[in-house]
């Protein structure tokens, strides 16, 4: 089963490279660097810190959007060309197809993580840049896994992409929403229900607010314990996403 998984993963990565993904990554990196450099030039105080924080945020958002878009459009194109049906008609388990696609997308996430992580060396010591890079890779793996699940479930580009980006934004901001709900003072029943809903979402969703923090590049305060927590969450949620996608794939009739 390992051989077909590796083959599918390899061709998924090749598809991305043939679609000029490296060129897109380079353009995004240069655009983010140019914009952050402009702010560095016009900022009156803490210009270097502002540049590092803005560059980290722009690179992270660019990488997430690029990976989510590629996963969704690649799966949609394969379904439209009947490539997925052809692969599933071969004598190999459906799990091999899913794990191969997921493995290919995870390999693909290495490209933006390593390229964008290298920019961190301009602002932080190598250990902090490596921490930021590894955390970005974990974040991209979760986005790729959720986008893959959305395509198996929703089958259309726009709903799958909207659901993936909504999942990402909510997982990124739910901790702040939860904090606002807990410190809103005297609250009526409706506000308490909303706060309880935020607590439930924070319990269910991965705490992406703790991933790829810009402070690691600005103040160099990241630690390996934080990376261990990121890796633990990534392993758990990626396993859950793969299991959900596998369940959906096995129940489909082609």
């Amino acid at each position: 089963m390992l051989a077909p998984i590796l083959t599918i993963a390899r061709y998924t990565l090749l598809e991305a490279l043939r679609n000029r993904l490296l060129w897109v990554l380079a353009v995004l990196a240069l655009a983010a660097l140019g914009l952050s450099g402009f702010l560095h030039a016009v900022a009156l105080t803490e210009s270097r810190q502002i540049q590092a924080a803005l560059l980290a945020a722009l690179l992270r958002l660019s990488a997430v959007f690029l990976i989510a878009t590629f996963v969704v459009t690649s799966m949609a194109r394969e379904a439209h060309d009947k490539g997925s049906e052809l692969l599933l008609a071969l004598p190999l388990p459906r799990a091999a197809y899913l794990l191969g696609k997921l493995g290919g997308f995870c390999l693909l996430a290495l490209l933006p993580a390593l390229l964008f992580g290298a920019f961190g060396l301009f602002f932080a010591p190598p250990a902090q840049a490596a921490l930021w890079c590894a955390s970005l890779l974990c974040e991209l793996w979760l986005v790729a896994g959720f986008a893959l699940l959305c395509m198996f479930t929703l089958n259309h580009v726009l709903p799958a992409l909207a659901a993936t980006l909504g999942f990402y934004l909510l997982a990124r901001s739910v901790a702040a929403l939860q904090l606002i709900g807990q410190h809103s003072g005297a609250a009526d029943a409706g506000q308490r229900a909303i706060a309880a809903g935020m607590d439930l979402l924070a319990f269910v969703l991965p705490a992406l607010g703790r991933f790829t923090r810009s402070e690691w590049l600005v103040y160099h305060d990241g630690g390996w314990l934080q990376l261990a927590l990121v890796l633990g969450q990534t392993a758990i949620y990626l396993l859950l996403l793969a299991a959900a996608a596998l369940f959906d794939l096995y129940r489909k009739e082609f």
Side-chain angles (χ1 to χ4, degrees), residues 175-185 187 191-192 194-195 198-199:
L177 296 174
Q178 187 184 22
L179 196 61
I180 292 171
Q182 289 173 351
H183 295 83
S184 58
Q191 290 173 320
R192 287 197 297 273
I194 292 173
M198 290 297 109
D199 291 341

Side-chain angles (χ1 to χ4, degrees), residues 170-215:
L170 193 56
R172 265 270 160 196
S173 59
V174 70
L177 296 174
Q178 187 184 22
L179 196 61
I180 292 171
Q182 289 173 351
H183 295 83
S184 58
D188 56 20
Q191 290 173 320
R192 287 197 297 273
I194 292 173
M198 290 297 109
D199 291 341
L200 180 61
L201 280 176
F203 178 75
V204 172
L205 293 172
L208 290 185
R210 297 179 181 175
F211 285 52
T212 326
R213 298 180 69 87
S214 300
E215 298 93 90

Side-chain angles (χ1 to χ4, degrees), residues 45-54 56 120 122-129 131-132 212-223 226:
T45 60
E46 298 186 331
S47 56
R48 187 169 178 80
Q49 288 83 351
I50 292 174
Q51 183 185 16
L54 182 67
F122 292 116
F123 304 98
Q128 295 294 319
L131 183 66
W132 191 87
T212 326
R213 298 180 69 87
S214 300
E215 298 93 90
W216 298 343
L217 298 183
V218 177
Y219 302 113
H220 314 158
D221 58 353
Q226 292 167 294

Side-chain angles (χ1 to χ4, degrees), residues 11-254:
Y11 279 97
T12 301
L13 182 60
L14 285 177
E15 178 196 357
L17 297 178
R18 288 168 181 162
N19 281 323
R20 307 289 191 274
L21 191 71
L22 282 176
W23 285 100
V24 178
L25 285 174
V27 170
L28 287 174
L30 290 175
L33 195 60
L35 182 58
S36 64
F38 172 73
L39 284 183
H40 171 74
V42 300
L44 298 179
T45 60
E46 298 186 331
S47 56
R48 187 169 178 80
Q49 288 83 351
I50 292 174
Q51 183 185 16
L54 182 67
L55 183 65
L58 287 175
L59 291 178
R60 187 180 65 242
L61 288 175
S62 300
V64 166
F65 181 76
L66 196 64
I67 290 295
T69 304
F70 180 79
V71 172
V72 168
T73 55
S74 171
M75 293 302 295
R77 183 199 57 76
E78 193 167 277
H80 183 265
D81 295 343
K82 307 296 182 185
S84 54
E85 293 185 21
L86 179 63
L87 285 172
L88 292 172
L90 297 175
L92 56 89
R94 293 187 178 189
Y97 171 72
L98 184 139
L99 293 177
K101 298 301 292 187
L102 184 59
F105 295 136
C106 288
L107 286 175
L108 173 64
L110 275 170
L111 298 178
L114 291 176
L115 177 63
F116 294 169
F119 282 93
L121 293 172
F122 292 116
F123 304 98
Q128 295 294 319
L131 183 66
W132 191 87
C133 174
S135 183
L136 176 61
L137 181 62
C138 291
E139 194 167 331
L140 296 180
W141 283 353
L142 290 182
V143 169
F146 192 83
L148 187 63
L149 171 63
C150 287
M151 273 310 294
F152 280 130
T153 305
L154 302 175
N155 296 318
H156 291 87
V157 171
L158 191 57
L161 192 56
T164 302
L165 296 180
F167 158 79
Y168 177 75
L169 292 176
L170 193 56
R172 265 270 160 196
S173 59
V174 70
L177 296 174
Q178 187 184 22
L179 196 61
I180 292 171
Q182 289 173 351
H183 295 83
S184 58
D188 56 20
Q191 290 173 320
R192 287 197 297 273
I194 292 173
M198 290 297 109
D199 291 341
L200 180 61
L201 280 176
F203 178 75
V204 172
L205 293 172
L208 290 185
R210 297 179 181 175
F211 285 52
T212 326
R213 298 180 69 87
S214 300
E215 298 93 90
W216 298 343
L217 298 183
V218 177
Y219 302 113
H220 314 158
D221 58 353
W224 297 111
L225 177 60
Q226 292 167 294
L227 181 60
L229 294 175
V230 166
L231 291 173
Q233 284 198 61
T234 303
I236 292 171
Y237 280 98
L238 201 57
L239 188 62
L240 290 174
L241 290 171
L246 197 60
F247 174 79
D248 200 54
L249 182 61
Y250 269 98
R251 74 177 178 83
K252 285 181 181 295
E253 294 183 2
F254 292 92

